[in-house]
Amino acid sequence: MAHEVSPESYKDLVLFLATAGIVAPIFKRLKINPILGYLLAGVILGPFGLGRFIPYAPWLDYVTVDNPDEIAQLAEFGVVFLLFMIGLELSWERLRLMRRLVFGLGAVQVIGCSLALGAGAMLLGQGPVAALTIGAALTLSSTAIAVPVLAERRRLHSDAGRATFSVLLFQDLAVAPILITLAILGRGQGTFQLKDLLALAPAAIGLGAIVLVGRLALRPMLKSVAKAKSEEMFMAACLLVIIGAGMVSALSGLSMALGAFVAGILLAETEYRHEVEVKIEPFKGLLLSLFFVSLGIRLDLSLLVAQPGVILATALGLLVVKAAMVFGSGLLMGLGRKAAIETALILAAGGEFAFVLLDNAMSAKVVSPAIGQAVLVSATLTMFLIPGLAALGGRLGRKANAPQTSEAPMAGPDRVGPEPSGQVLVVGYGRVGKLVGDMLGRHDLPWIAVERDARLVEQGRREGGKIYYGDASRLELLERCGLATARAVVITMDAPEAAEAVVAAARGARPDVPIVVRARDARHAARLYELGATDAVPETIEASLQLSEAVLVDIGVPMGLVIASIHERRDEYRKVLNRPDALGGRRRRLRDASLR
């Protein structure tokens, strides 16, 4: 017997979906960062917002969140999916090249800020252990807000973006050692013992297990799922990889986000990378939105009203101390002034891990609940300022005239971000696509291919080709494969409807790019020209022309005359099929005019 549906059980979910569907479009129209909208919506919908007035207006219960703890638990997956997507855009080689920033700048920032903020807490009357706990909690910045803000501003691949991400990555790595250190200090030992060092063993074993299983099992598993040609099964496999790696990481004492990040790096080296990105992007966006709403819900406005001076002074002190420490650390590690300024302002605010550390500290009675809650409210307030601080950092950085960091710019196959520019994008890697790729290679032209058949992808990879698995009829996948900077698009698919979908998607996104398509016959070629193909090559016509060329040469007609007549006949066919009013005809005339 089916259970009766209770509308109250779904009220929080409906409120969140309504927020996601209303807030983001409004803020984008107003050209305001949607993150601020979600944070403000969380404040309004939470128990410290409209929830305060329910005793006076009971109807407000219908538009307030009843279970913020449940939402916060689900919202943590937003950070997990974000770190997984970042991992997909990296590689082990790229991480090796970034080691100076990760373990140099990251370590200096965590240690320096912890000591500086801890010293400030001691000056305000906190004991040594409580002060160090508060300092360590406030040292950690917000990955969930800083990375999307950098990506939206297209600064994630800059020197400041690399430095910011490196510090955030080290902070994630440092959470487990910080928790263990604070637990030791809370017991009053003050020194490490062998059993304390052994407490780090599960973390090392967990990471090792993720890497080992990922190396051995990820590609075969995704290959098996891809051969089934089921969108649902492939999505389920992607979710299993992310959540499974996150759970192993959490059980070993690390954050779920760190485990997902490692899984992303392992998948980045496979041919399934871009298809996984397309599948996971909607989950990441939705869960991150929920995460921002949950942060707003946690903001206790009553404390802000009761202790405005203390909380605002703490927030201001946090921003000033962290910005100064990060700026100094950046200069010390060889970061240029421009990048150091931008990095310092982005990392100046508090982060989501402050809740983890301070919740543990308050449970262990290391930090009093009154102090801990006040510090959390101050940290949350600074997180609201991250989009503005990023914009300010960008403006101040542009005014700095000092030289940039000496590290090489992010370029080459191991850089963070999309595929390198200037490549020819080949859609379909069967017999025709393989030959196209071979001819491009003979002329030293870089190319990348997309193929839906997992068997052909595997075979092409074994032969050294840069081929990715995925359905190229979706614009998201084409963009992941470098459509925005592609030199040309060659579509060799033998399915007419699929070829038409790719032409329409590619032409809509890139009105200027040459699109050459394999067509089944003259009627199909005319349709492709209507959709915007620059050149459509009908199989039947080309076969006839090649047969004609062979017979004319065999019966003694001079080769030069034969080639000229074949080209003339091909142009006649093209003029008939590619009508002047077709989209492909207009694109071809523009291209020819630009070449004159």
Side-chain angles (χ1 to χ4, degrees):
M1 182 176 178
H3 295 285
E4 184 179 354
V5 176
S6 172
E8 290 78 10
S9 303
Y10 298 94
K11 185 188 70 173
D12 291 352
L13 176 61
V14 172
L15 282 175
F16 164 66
L17 293 176
T19 301
I22 296 172
V23 170
I26 291 176
F27 272 69
K28 284 187 176 180
R29 189 174 302 171
L30 297 175
K31 297 182 178 180
I32 301 174
N33 195 306
I35 292 175
L36 292 176
Y38 289 121
L39 291 171
L40 291 173
V43 172
I44 295 171
L45 298 176
F48 306 114
L50 293 177
R52 287 279 182 184
F53 304 99
I54 290 179
Y56 311 102
W59 61 270
L60 288 175
D61 182 57
Y62 294 104
V63 291
T64 54
V65 174
D66 290 333
N67 301 302
D69 291 336
E70 293 181 5
I71 285 185
Q73 191 172 12
L74 179 60
E76 290 178 4
F77 281 101
V79 185
V80 173
F81 278 72
L82 173 66
L83 265 293
F84 176 77
M85 294 292 284
I86 293 173
L88 280 176
E89 295 188 341
L90 287 174
S91 69
W92 291 115
E93 177 63 18
R94 186 65 234 166
L95 279 181
R96 187 185 68 81
L97 295 175
M98 293 171 62
R99 66 186 182 278
R100 184 176 67 84
L101 289 174
V102 175
F103 297 102
L105 179 59
V108 171
Q109 186 272 334
V110 169
I111 296 173
C113 287
S114 296
L115 294 176
L117 293 168
M122 287 186 65
L123 291 175
L124 294 175
Q126 296 299 305
V129 177
L132 185 59
T133 301
I134 293 172
L138 295 180
T139 292
L140 305 178
S141 304
S142 177
T143 303
I145 300 181
V147 172
V149 166
L150 284 170
E152 183 180 345
R153 295 177 57 82
R154 299 183 180 179
R155 299 291 296 162
L156 190 57
H157 310 146
S158 65
D159 290 335
R162 280 191 297 164
T164 300
F165 174 72
S166 299
V167 172
L168 292 170
L169 177 57
F170 185 85
Q171 290 178 359
D172 285 347
L173 291 169
V175 170
I178 289 174
L179 285 172
I180 293 171
T181 302
L182 294 178
I184 294 169
L185 295 175
R187 294 198 303 266
Q189 296 175 349
T191 58
F192 278 100
Q193 298 179 3
L194 179 59
K195 63 179 181 180
D196 298 319
L197 294 176
L198 291 177
L200 294 173
I205 294 172
L207 279 181
I210 294 173
V211 173
L212 180 62
V213 173
R215 289 282 191 184
L216 297 177
L218 268 185
R219 182 178 266 115
M221 182 189 74
L222 290 178
K223 174 186 173 183
S224 175
V225 175
K227 284 183 176 179
K229 297 182 178 180
S230 169
E231 296 283 337
E232 294 80 8
M233 289 176 61
F234 194 89
M235 183 178 295
C238 295
L239 295 175
L240 173 63
V241 170
I242 300 170
I243 297 175
M247 291 298 296
V248 171
S249 180
L251 290 173
S252 61
L254 299 169
S255 67
M256 288 188 67
L258 184 60
F261 174 74
V262 174
I265 293 176
L266 293 169
L267 268 176
E269 300 175 346
T270 72
E271 58 269 34
Y272 305 100
R273 165 189 166 188
H274 292 308
E275 181 70 7
V276 172
E277 287 177 321
V278 172
K279 287 286 191 295
I280 296 304
E281 182 66 34
F283 289 95
K284 184 204 77 173
L286 192 63
L287 289 171
L288 266 184
S289 303
L290 181 59
F291 175 81
F292 300 138
V293 172
S294 72
L295 283 182
I297 290 174
R298 293 183 184 185
L299 184 59
D300 189 347
L301 295 176
S302 64
L303 288 177
L304 181 59
V305 174
Q307 310 174 48
V310 173
I311 290 176
L312 293 177
T314 303
L316 180 60
L318 170 63
L319 294 174
V320 171
V321 172
K322 281 186 72 175
M325 291 297 299
V326 174
F327 178 72
S329 302
L331 295 181
L332 180 65
M333 299 304 299
L335 206 63
R337 287 180 60 87
K338 176 180 178 180
I341 290 172
E342 189 172 354
T343 303
L345 288 174
I346 294 172
L347 294 175
E352 51 272 7
F353 280 118
F355 293 91
V356 177
L357 295 181
L358 288 175
D359 284 344
N360 277 274
M362 288 186 286
S363 299
K365 298 182 179 179
V366 173
V367 176
S368 68
I371 297 296
Q373 290 297 333
V375 171
L376 283 178
V377 172
S378 300
T380 306
L381 283 178
T382 63
M383 294 167 71
F384 276 68
L385 302 177
I386 292 177
L389 291 171
L392 177 61
R395 285 196 293 270
L396 293 178
R398 284 193 293 270
K399 295 179 181 179
N401 296 319
Q404 292 290 310
T405 178
S406 58
E407 278 197 44
M410 301 183 95
D414 292 318
R415 72 189 183 102
V416 177
E419 298 296 335
S421 60
Q423 298 190 111
V424 176
L425 179 55
V426 180
V427 179
Y429 198 72
R431 289 173 296 177
V432 178
K434 185 176 180 180
L435 181 57
V436 171
D438 179 65
M439 294 302 299
L440 291 170
R442 292 189 182 209
H443 290 272
D444 296 323
L445 294 171
W447 58 277
I448 178 175
V450 186
E451 171 58 53
R452 183 67 189 273
D453 191 325
R455 179 181 56 83
L456 295 176
V457 173
E458 182 185 21
Q459 179 182 344
R461 283 259 172 172
R462 280 201 305 264
E463 295 171 355
K466 192 175 182 181
I467 304 134
Y468 290 101
Y469 169 83
D471 180 5
S473 63
R474 292 171 301 177
L475 178 59
E476 297 89 345
L477 183 65
L478 293 175
E479 290 175 338
R480 295 282 182 181
C481 293
L483 174 63
T485 56
R487 189 170 179 179
V489 178
V490 183
I491 302 169
T492 68
M493 307 164 73
D494 58 0
E497 295 83 3
E500 292 172 11
V502 176
V503 171
R507 180 55 72 207
R510 281 287 307 276
D512 59 316
V513 70
I515 301 177
V516 182
V517 199
R518 170 189 178 186
R520 175 159 294 181
D521 50 30
R523 179 179 297 178
H524 186 215
R527 171 63 179 159
L528 293 170
Y529 280 124
E530 291 284 349
L531 292 171
T534 310
D535 283 299
V537 183
E539 295 174 342
T540 53
I541 294 177
E542 283 301 313
S544 302
L545 292 175
Q546 290 178 31
L547 286 171
S548 302
E549 178 183 349
V551 70
L552 289 171
V553 171
D554 287 344
I555 64 177
V557 179
M559 177 66 75
L561 294 177
V562 172
I563 293 176
S565 64
I566 292 295
H567 279 290
E568 182 180 356
R569 191 71 180 104
R570 183 179 288 120
D571 288 339
E572 290 173 359
Y573 274 119
R574 183 180 290 119
K575 289 177 181 178
V576 171
L577 299 174
N578 192 9
R579 298 180 296 102
D581 59 336
L583 179 57
R586 297 198 299 271
R587 297 310 317 165
R588 188 177 182 86
R589 287 198 304 276
L590 289 174
R591 187 194 66 176
D592 292 344
S594 65
L595 295 175
R596 292 194 186 103

